Amino acid sequence: MASAAFTVSSPAASAVATRSKVLRGGKGEARTGCRVGITRKNFSRVMMAVAVDISRFEGVPMAPPDPILGVSEAFRADKNDLKLNLGVGAYRTEELQPYVLNVVKKAENLMLEKGENKEYLPIEGLAAFNKATAELLFGADNPVIKQGRVATLQSLSGTGSLRLAAAFIQRYFPEAKVLISSPTWGNHKNIFNDARVPWSEYRYYDPKTVGLDFEGMIADIQAAPDGSFVLLHGCAHNPTGIDPTPEQWEKIADVIQEKKHMPFFDVAYQGFASGSLDEDASSVRLFVERGLEVFVAQSYSKNLGLYAERIGAINVVCSAPEVANRVKSQLKRLARPMYSNPPIHGARIVANVVGDPVMFGEWKQEMEEMAGRIKNVRQKLYDSLSAKDKSGKDWSFILRQIGMFSYTGLNKTQSDNMTDKWHIYMTKDGRISLAGLSLAKCEYLADAIIDSFHNIS
């Protein structure tokens, strides 16, 4: 392609030939070259003009829109007054406005009063944050905390924590496979693909009951090669909102223990699902109490509303303190070329809130209020669907789900109708974010769901 461009008769081609003479010749020839206007400087411009159609990026295709973040882009472009954005999992007030927690504002004011600096953090992050986040997850009196058996690194929210753990798996367990629920959060597969970690799916969602396919889940975990990593949602499964019961968690732990699998929890909603920090961490603590080694990724995007601060952690529960030290050293080694060290602002907010008894109590109160608003919206949506739908369909699965999401059971075509006809923006798997819904909009949403479910095949 490049050689063909130079065979065409053009001023640029003449310039190339002239430059060749200039660079080969002596002083006189150089002066002649200057007289016709070809210098090294403007020759570079000519060469750039010749090469403009021969981009090195010619083979780079356009990436498809992100299936979740792309929903918000489409929503912003819609001018209809009835539009609803139920795609991104971000909490909104009853007026559908973003919400900054009061306790976060207090923590930030405290930081300003202290006049704290912006120096680099160590690779592992802010020590006060790492202590607070591990104690919040496992319980301050948990033996794994007291014995120093947890390797904790502050990381870039849940996504960054998962990605760091994936790199660790790829390096130290190259033959292992990760089992991921079907369906799962849209970014899980991207993370393991980019880390070159093979994965397969285990059954989770049963479309017939719009509930948990527990038998299928257990069978697939049992059938996986021994020593696999099993990715589990600690609470408020995304996208379905369907969690195992305490008894089912016990059975899941039995099978994982039997098969010598490694449990890997993604905890994105601690305290935000039920309103209780301890209740939402109960699944993780069950596995730890059994003496299992466990990976846990944490995020503070939802429960503290720190979406843009990118604050989270990766925790690895190990069999002994010396093992935890080695694991932590290698996680740091992986983090260094990835992002060097994590940001400080969100880490200080979390450390201040969790470390101060008064602010900690205020945070728990605000979490209960946010979780309570979502529960009220869930109930109102169910009531509206039940009252409006005369077909006799049972919509009670909506009440059995938990957290900010509801899996409606709508397929892609039906979800498209929700957007095209009703201006309701959601992911194409039928997931809606109840955190982006108000009580006032529940009846409108119910009308849209009933129309899409019954009238669109």
Side-chain angles (χ1 to χ4, degrees), residues 207-394:
K208 293 176 184 174
T209 63
V210 198
L212 177 65
D213 182 358
F214 183 64
E215 290 182 5
M217 178 185 185
I218 291 297
D220 289 346
I221 293 173
Q222 281 179 324
D226 288 7
S228 297
F229 287 76
V230 183
L231 187 65
L232 301 162
H233 299 228
C235 62
H237 182 275
N238 181 1
T240 67
I242 302 163
D243 285 354
T245 64
E247 295 73 27
Q248 288 171 331
W249 274 121
E250 291 279 1
K251 178 63 175 173
I252 294 164
D254 287 342
V255 176
I256 286 177
Q257 204 161 7
E258 275 171 35
K259 294 287 293 183
K260 297 181 172 58
H261 293 330
M262 176 76 81
F264 184 170
F265 282 92
D266 184 359
V267 178
Y269 309 101
Q270 186 183 356
F272 194 74
S274 68
S276 165
L277 289 163
D278 292 326
E279 186 176 334
D280 290 347
S282 60
S283 59
V284 174
R285 293 176 187 179
L286 166 67
F287 282 71
V288 172
E289 284 165 14
R290 287 178 171 230
L292 294 171
E293 294 183 302
V294 183
F295 276 79
V296 190
Q298 284 174 285
S299 167
Y300 288 90
S301 292
K302 308 299 191 296
N303 56 12
L304 261 173
L306 300 177
Y307 305 100
E309 300 298 347
R310 311 315 296 146
I311 177 66
I314 182 66
N315 304 267
V316 187
V317 179
C318 303
S319 60
E322 60 272 18
V323 179
N325 289 336
R326 284 189 277 115
V327 168
K328 185 172 183 177
S329 73
Q330 293 299 340
L331 286 169
K332 288 166 62 175
R333 189 179 180 190
L334 288 163
R336 175 63 169 151
M338 250 190 221
Y339 55 84
S340 196
N341 47 10
I344 197 168
H345 191 79
R348 280 181 174 154
I349 292 172
V350 176
N352 284 341
V353 169
V354 178
D356 181 282
V358 174
M359 283 199 285
F360 186 56
E362 291 176 2
W363 177 38
K364 289 196 287 186
Q365 180 62 38
E366 283 193 86
M367 263 191 299
E368 287 177 17
E369 290 170 1
M370 290 191 293
R373 194 189 87 74
I374 294 172
K375 289 175 183 177
N376 289 341
V377 165
R378 187 182 289 280
Q379 182 69 51
K380 179 66 182 294
L381 177 61
Y382 165 75
D383 292 343
S384 299
L385 286 166
S386 299
K388 288 172 174 287
D389 186 2
K390 306 305 180 184
S391 71
K393 178 176 170 56
D394 181 9

Side-chain angles (χ1 to χ4, degrees), residues 134 137-147 149 285 288-289:
L137 179 62
F138 301 110
D141 295 328
N142 197 305
V144 296
I145 297 287
K146 292 184 173 296
Q147 295 163 13
R149 293 199 283 120
R285 293 176 187 179
V288 172
E289 284 165 14

Side-chain angles (χ1 to χ4, degrees), residues 170-186:
Q170 195 276 333
R171 181 167 293 185
Y172 294 103
F173 302 91
E175 304 304 318
K177 180 182 283 189
V178 175
L179 274 67
I180 299 173
S181 68
S182 176
T184 193
W185 176 49

